[in-house]
mmCIF file of all heavy atoms in Angstrom:
data_model
loop_
_atom_site.group_PDB
_atom_site.id
_atom_site.type_symbol
_atom_site.label_atom_id
_atom_site.label_comp_id
_atom_site.label_asym_id
_atom_site.label_seq_id
_atom_site.Cartn_x
_atom_site.Cartn_y
_atom_site.Cartn_z
ATOM 1 N N ASP A 549 154.398 150.850 105.453
ATOM 2 C CA ASP A 549 155.831 150.838 105.488
ATOM 3 C C ASP A 549 156.482 152.220 105.571
ATOM 4 O O ASP A 549 157.670 152.329 105.710
ATOM 5 C CB ASP A 549 156.417 150.054 104.296
ATOM 6 C CG ASP A 549 155.963 148.574 104.283
ATOM 7 O OD1 ASP A 549 155.479 148.126 105.288
ATOM 8 O OD2 ASP A 549 156.130 147.941 103.226
ATOM 9 N N GLY A 550 155.691 153.249 105.424
ATOM 10 C CA GLY A 550 156.156 154.633 105.615
ATOM 11 C C GLY A 550 156.939 155.241 104.434
ATOM 12 O O GLY A 550 157.678 156.180 104.610
ATOM 13 N N TYR A 551 156.799 154.663 103.251
ATOM 14 C CA TYR A 551 157.460 155.223 102.090
ATOM 15 C C TYR A 551 156.825 156.516 101.684
ATOM 16 O O TYR A 551 155.626 156.763 101.897
ATOM 17 C CB TYR A 551 157.367 154.247 100.863
ATOM 18 C CG TYR A 551 158.379 153.066 100.902
ATOM 19 C CD1 TYR A 551 158.164 152.006 101.741
ATOM 20 C CD2 TYR A 551 159.477 153.129 100.086
ATOM 21 C CE1 TYR A 551 159.063 150.932 101.772
ATOM 22 C CE2 TYR A 551 160.356 152.070 100.101
ATOM 23 C CZ TYR A 551 160.172 150.988 100.934
ATOM 24 O OH TYR A 551 161.077 149.965 100.972
ATOM 25 N N THR A 552 157.590 157.376 100.966
ATOM 26 C CA THR A 552 157.063 158.574 100.343
ATOM 27 C C THR A 552 156.648 158.204 98.942
ATOM 28 O O THR A 552 156.958 157.136 98.428
ATOM 29 C CB THR A 552 158.132 159.673 100.284
ATOM 30 O OG1 THR A 552 159.212 159.199 99.507
ATOM 31 C CG2 THR A 552 158.620 160.052 101.680
ATOM 32 N N ILE A 553 155.981 159.156 98.247
ATOM 33 C CA ILE A 553 155.626 158.935 96.855
ATOM 34 C C ILE A 553 156.871 158.681 96.049
ATOM 35 O O ILE A 553 156.944 157.708 95.250
ATOM 36 C CB ILE A 553 154.866 160.181 96.282
ATOM 37 C CG1 ILE A 553 153.529 160.373 97.004
ATOM 38 C CG2 ILE A 553 154.689 160.056 94.779
ATOM 39 C CD1 ILE A 553 152.404 159.405 96.603
ATOM 40 N N LYS A 554 157.898 159.491 96.250
ATOM 41 C CA LYS A 554 159.179 159.281 95.506
ATOM 42 C C LYS A 554 159.810 157.917 95.832
ATOM 43 O O LYS A 554 160.398 157.294 94.977
ATOM 44 C CB LYS A 554 160.168 160.444 95.791
ATOM 45 C CG LYS A 554 159.794 161.711 95.114
ATOM 46 C CD LYS A 554 160.922 162.715 95.224
ATOM 47 C CE LYS A 554 160.482 163.972 94.423
ATOM 48 N NZ LYS A 554 161.581 164.856 94.194
ATOM 49 N N GLY A 555 159.666 157.532 97.083
ATOM 50 C CA GLY A 555 160.227 156.249 97.518
ATOM 51 C C GLY A 555 159.507 155.089 96.775
ATOM 52 O O GLY A 555 160.168 154.123 96.331
ATOM 53 N N VAL A 556 158.200 155.180 96.684
ATOM 54 C CA VAL A 556 157.494 154.118 95.986
ATOM 55 C C VAL A 556 157.819 154.170 94.489
ATOM 56 O O VAL A 556 157.944 153.109 93.862
ATOM 57 C CB VAL A 556 155.950 154.281 96.230
ATOM 58 C CG1 VAL A 556 155.197 153.262 95.388
ATOM 59 C CG2 VAL A 556 155.614 154.121 97.690
ATOM 60 N N GLN A 557 157.946 155.369 93.899
ATOM 61 C CA GLN A 557 158.351 155.444 92.509
ATOM 62 C C GLN A 557 159.680 154.757 92.282
ATOM 63 O O GLN A 557 159.888 154.066 91.268
ATOM 64 C CB GLN A 557 158.411 156.908 92.064
ATOM 65 C CG GLN A 557 157.077 157.563 91.962
ATOM 66 C CD GLN A 557 157.160 159.079 91.745
ATOM 67 O OE1 GLN A 557 158.181 159.707 92.081
ATOM 68 N NE2 GLN A 557 156.087 159.684 91.215
ATOM 69 N N LYS A 558 160.640 154.948 93.204
ATOM 70 C CA LYS A 558 161.938 154.295 93.146
ATOM 71 C C LYS A 558 161.832 152.804 93.238
ATOM 72 O O LYS A 558 162.470 152.087 92.456
ATOM 73 C CB LYS A 558 162.865 154.916 94.218
ATOM 74 C CG LYS A 558 164.255 154.402 94.113
ATOM 75 C CD LYS A 558 165.169 155.024 95.187
ATOM 76 C CE LYS A 558 166.572 154.517 95.076
ATOM 77 N NZ LYS A 558 167.412 155.125 96.091
ATOM 78 N N VAL A 559 160.984 152.339 94.151
ATOM 79 C CA VAL A 559 160.789 150.875 94.272
ATOM 80 C C VAL A 559 160.192 150.307 93.034
ATOM 81 O O VAL A 559 160.633 149.247 92.573
ATOM 82 C CB VAL A 559 159.867 150.596 95.506
ATOM 83 C CG1 VAL A 559 159.446 149.146 95.498
ATOM 84 C CG2 VAL A 559 160.589 150.915 96.796
ATOM 85 N N LEU A 560 159.233 150.994 92.457
ATOM 86 C CA LEU A 560 158.636 150.504 91.190
ATOM 87 C C LEU A 560 159.664 150.475 90.074
ATOM 88 O O LEU A 560 159.716 149.535 89.274
ATOM 89 C CB LEU A 560 157.438 151.402 90.757
ATOM 90 C CG LEU A 560 156.163 151.211 91.523
ATOM 91 C CD1 LEU A 560 155.205 152.359 91.311
ATOM 92 C CD2 LEU A 560 155.523 149.889 91.099
ATOM 93 N N LYS A 561 160.538 151.461 89.998
ATOM 94 C CA LYS A 561 161.543 151.515 89.001
ATOM 95 C C LYS A 561 162.633 150.405 89.199
ATOM 96 O O LYS A 561 163.051 149.759 88.240
ATOM 97 C CB LYS A 561 162.243 152.872 88.976
ATOM 98 C CG LYS A 561 163.221 153.073 87.853
ATOM 99 C CD LYS A 561 163.816 154.501 87.840
ATOM 100 C CE LYS A 561 164.808 154.645 86.751
ATOM 101 N NZ LYS A 561 165.363 156.039 86.719
ATOM 102 N N GLU A 562 163.018 150.224 90.427
ATOM 103 C CA GLU A 562 164.096 149.253 90.734
ATOM 104 C C GLU A 562 163.638 147.846 90.737
ATOM 105 O O GLU A 562 164.311 146.920 90.242
ATOM 106 C CB GLU A 562 164.809 149.608 92.012
ATOM 107 C CG GLU A 562 165.615 150.881 91.955
ATOM 108 C CD GLU A 562 166.194 151.313 93.300
ATOM 109 O OE1 GLU A 562 165.934 150.612 94.313
ATOM 110 O OE2 GLU A 562 166.940 152.320 93.334
#
Side-chain angles (χ1 to χ4, degrees):
D549 297 345
Y551 280 77
T552 62
I553 296 284
K554 285 189 178 194
V556 175
Q557 289 170 337
K558 185 176 179 181
V559 168
L560 283 165
K561 185 176 180 180
E562 292 175 357

